[in-house]
């Protein structure tokens, strides 16, 4: 290598995280001369002299939000020997580095927020290179202030001096601001107006009075009220038309919480974490009716810290939207759409450029909804994958995310929700434009679900590019495999794909399948028997319809059973005739609809579900009330297939408290599915079983599958959602495998 100098190409999460000042300080400490620059490929460091000690120190002392994926060195000739070490202006070009997710307020900024001697005391928008908004304020790369939502806020002299000082914590922190030059709060409640500190105090007073406040955050609006005030929560539910769906709660602090829960809540991603009710401060019963868990979070930005300090009580923090609409992003949209819900509006004048919901996790790290704090982090493709051409994977219609495949990695979008809901598609299109522009991404092929009725499938046909269709459940299993870094040529596994409904082979509707799969192929070996969906899509909303279908298929003489009361008071006769004739009653092997049927039999949901999965969630909570019980219920195999008639006969004869019967169902289903997987694994000489599908978010079912499959390598979704939020990633690795 030319002794004149060295150029280091550093890639990874190295922009917007204080990486350049870190390099500057490190070079000065090591008495090195040269320069550092941000560009679209990452960071370039040019050194005069040897680079060995410098590279080692890069990895050893990397800034808290940074991640180095690779460092490539090459010889570099300096026309003139550099004097000192400098930071060069950013350069443009095709984006290859990672954009940093938004990060929760760091300890240093929190101290400043509460320090009366600091010039940013009680300023709701303080941040530094270690925290604050990133992706939600970006317009284009490179990540510099003129290309963010901060472009309209000119830096005051004090902020400017920090911004240009490599020794300062706020060097090139693009959202840097203070009360003199940055965004400001505004309050609006009818004719009442206030700004800055008065706006904050008006919101606090209204929350303490039991009112509902719409609060503009970093990636969207929240609707807030006192989580210990039953009247306030009931009013919020009535106005938002959200009768039973659980509400997230923000806690003032982590005092008294279990260490694992506290640690997860305190991460820089600041997710909502599902926690057992019994370990939390007292909340009103209507927060999560019929469930054993509540989604809780801690303040993630300075405004939330100030609100929680002032109210000193748990607050509901639910998405700022009408039921059936996406969250509001602009002040104008919030004032128009939330006027019938909120009593007052706490606004600010910094634009939200990218919608970003709160991520949802469990304390053990299992991901349920991947968004703020994680997106747009790229996910490396597993070992053995080559550099794929640009592929756009559109995902599913529910819990939608899309995915860009570029080279050896995949970039998943944030959770965007149900594309069938009004307004969601517009936000989906905006998110796709943004990521495509940032990465200079031009797909050569579109990957879509096999279901012709999906909106994503229809969108794929409008994009004037070749389209590849992927089976829904193949994508579930492939996503699980890729998350666990299963190699491209690692061989086939047995897959258990358990969800509501997805398009299977030959136009069949699947949802409870045992598959043999790898990234390149998927074959159905067996699964739950197909059962009618009386009324088609209505069966997903009204659990009693699924109980009727199970009775008609597997329980002769069902009308004399006590459980039949859940059906007999409904208009079941026309449905029974329609099932017999095959009219608007398609067959589906759905695990999700089986959960609905048992939930209906136990009275978990009497009429329609008010949110997806409500019956199954209540059934799981019911099962956990009594804990493990001895029971006679099994799901045996008959000719290698689950014998549902035998299961129903045993379960209907098992007379015990509802909680015991709910536990017996979970245990028997896990035992039967494990027996099915074991049967095919042994026949195919396979020792690995991978699982996927939204039903796998059920913790009790997971635990019982682990119990019955303890002697196999069992792969369960963890860092990506088990449900449809990971479908796009599964599509990505299936499509990329064809080019490897």
């Amino acid at each position: 290598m030319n002794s004149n100098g060295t150029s280091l190409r550093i890639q990874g999460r190295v922009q917007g995280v204080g990486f350049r000042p870190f390099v500057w300080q490190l070079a000065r400490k090591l008495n090195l001369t040269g320069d550092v620059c941000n560009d679209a490929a990452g960071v370039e460091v040019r050194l005069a002299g040897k680079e060995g000690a410098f590279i080692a120190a890069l990895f050893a002392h990397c800034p808290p939000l940074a991640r180095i994926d690779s460092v490539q060195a090459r010889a570099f000739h300096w026309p003139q020997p550099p004097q000192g070490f400098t930071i060069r202006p950013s350069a443009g070009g095709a984006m290859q580095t990672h954009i940093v997710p938004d990060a929760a307020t760091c300890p240093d900024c929190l101290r400043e927020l509460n320090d009366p001697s600091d010039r940013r005391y009680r300023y709701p928008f303080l941040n530094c290179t270690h925290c604050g908004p990133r992706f939600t304020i970006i317009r284009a790369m490179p990540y510099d202030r003129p290309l963010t939502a901060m472009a309209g806020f000119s830096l005051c002299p004090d902020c400017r001096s920090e911004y240009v000082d490599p020794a300062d914590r706020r060097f090139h922190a693009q959202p840097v601001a203070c009360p003199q030059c940055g965004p400001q709060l505004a309050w609006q409640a009818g004719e009442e107006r206030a700004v800055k500190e008065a706006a904050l105090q008006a919101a606090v007073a209204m929350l303490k009075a039991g009112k509902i406040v719409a609060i503009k955050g970093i990636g969207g609006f929240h609707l807030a009220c006192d989580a210990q005030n039953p009247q306030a929560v009931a009013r919020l539910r009535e106005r938002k038309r959200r009768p039973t769906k659980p509400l997230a709660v923000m806690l003032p602090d982590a005092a008294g919480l279990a260490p694992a829960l506290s640690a997860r809540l305190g991460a820089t991603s600041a997710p909502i974490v599902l926690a057992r009710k019994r370990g939390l401060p007292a909340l009103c019963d209507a927060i999560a009716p019929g469930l054993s868990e509540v989604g809780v979070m801690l303040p993630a930005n300075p405004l939330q810290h100030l609100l929680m300090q002032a109210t000193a009580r748990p607050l509901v923090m639910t998405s700022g939207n009408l039921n059936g609409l996406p969250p509001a992003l602009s002040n104008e949209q919030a004032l128009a759409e939330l006027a019938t819900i909120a009593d007052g509006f706490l606004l600010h004048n910094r634009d939200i450029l990218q919608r970003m919901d709160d991520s949802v996790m469990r304390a053990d790290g299992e991901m349920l909804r991947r968004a703020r704090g994680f997106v747009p982090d790229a996910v490396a493709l597993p070992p053995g994958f080559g550099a794929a051409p640009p592929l756009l994977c559109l995902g599913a219609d529910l819990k939608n995310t899309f995915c860009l495949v570029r080279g050896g990695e995949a970039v998943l979008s944030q959770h965007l929700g149900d594309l069938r809901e009004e307004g969601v598609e517009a936000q989906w299109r905006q998110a796709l434009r943004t990521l495509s522009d940032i990465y200079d991404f031009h797909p050569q092929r579109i990957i879509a679900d096999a279901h012709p009725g999906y909106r994503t499938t229809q969108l794929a046909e409008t994009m004037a590019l070749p389209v590849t269709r992927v089976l829904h459940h193949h994508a579930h299993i492939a996503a699980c495999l890729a998350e666990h870094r299963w190699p491209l040529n690692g061989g086939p596994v047995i897959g258990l794909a358990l969800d509501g409904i997805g398009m299977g082979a030959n136009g069949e509707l699947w949802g409870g399948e045992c598959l043999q799969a790898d990234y390149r192929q998927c074959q159905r070996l067996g699964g739950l028997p197909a059962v009618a969906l009386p009324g088609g899509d209505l069966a997903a909303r009204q659990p009693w319809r699924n109980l009727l279908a199970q009775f008609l298929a597997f329980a002769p003489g069902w009308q004399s059973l006590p459980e039949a009361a859940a059906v007999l008071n409904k208009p079941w006769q026309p449905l029974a005739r329609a099932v017999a004739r095959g009219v608007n009653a398609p067959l589906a092997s759905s695990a999700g609809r089986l959960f609905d049927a048992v939930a209906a039999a136990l009275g978990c949901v009497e009429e329609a579900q008010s949110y997806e999965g409500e019956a199954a969630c209540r059934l799981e909570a019911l099962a956990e009330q009594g804990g493990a019980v001895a029971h006679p219920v099994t799901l045996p195999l008959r000719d290698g297939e689950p014998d549902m008639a035998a299961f129903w006969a045993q379960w209907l004869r098992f007379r015990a408290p509802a909680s015991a019967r709910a536990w017996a169902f979970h245990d028997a289903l896990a035992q039967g599915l494990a027996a099915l997987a074991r049967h095919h694994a042994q026949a195919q000489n396979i020792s690995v079983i991978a699982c996927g599908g939204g039903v796998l978010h059920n913790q009790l079912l997971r635990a019982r599958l682990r119990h019955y499959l303890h002697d196999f390598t069992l792969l369960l979704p963890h860092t990506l959602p088990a449900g449809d939020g990971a479908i796009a990633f599964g599509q990505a690795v299936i499509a990329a495998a064809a080019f490897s």
Side-chain angles (χ1 to χ4, degrees), residues 343-412:
D343 299 302
F345 294 81
L346 186 57
L347 310 171
H348 61 72
N349 59 340
R350 183 177 65 198
D351 290 340
I352 299 171
L353 299 183
Q354 310 300 330
R355 170 188 165 186
M356 192 62 64
D357 296 6
D358 301 304
S359 292
V360 182
M361 307 177 70
R362 297 186 186 274
D364 67 356
E366 181 198 346
M367 186 70 71
L368 283 80
R369 183 173 76 192
R370 186 175 182 270
R372 182 175 51 78
F374 298 93
V375 174
D377 268 353
V379 180
L381 300 184
F385 278 80
L391 305 171
L392 172 58
C393 309
L394 301 188
D397 277 12
L398 295 177
K399 299 179 177 63
N400 178 266
T401 64
F402 61 83
C403 182
L404 315 181
V405 180
R406 44 193 294 275
E409 64 183 15
V411 179
L412 271 77

Side-chain angles (χ1 to χ4, degrees), residues 12-22 38 43 62-67 98-101 103 128-131 134 143 169 171-173:
R13 190 200 282 181
V14 290
Q15 291 191 13
V17 293
F19 199 82
R20 286 178 300 168
F22 158 67
N38 269 357
V43 167
C62 194
L65 295 183
R67 187 189 69 242
H98 297 300
I99 306 168
V100 181
C128 71
T129 53
H130 304 316
C131 67
R134 298 290 193 274
Y143 176 64
R169 195 174 93 250
F171 175 75
H172 280 219

Side-chain angles (χ1 to χ4, degrees), residues 8 126 148 218 264 268 277 350 360 422 463 548 588 727:
L8 302 178
L126 88 170
T148 73
I218 290 178
R264 186 65 60 186
T268 58
K277 290 180 178 179
R350 183 177 65 198
V360 182
E422 181 182 352
M463 293 184 174
L548 170 64
I727 283 289

Side-chain angles (χ1 to χ4, degrees), residues 533-545:
L533 300 174
D537 289 345
L538 276 175
R541 297 194 289 273
Q542 298 178 353
W544 69 268
R545 292 172 178 261

Side-chain angles (χ1 to χ4, degrees), residues 85 139 172 314 405 410 584 669 684 686 689:
F85 194 91
R139 294 187 191 275
H172 280 219
V405 180
N584 197 24
L669 179 61
Q684 303 297 327
I686 292 174
I689 298 171

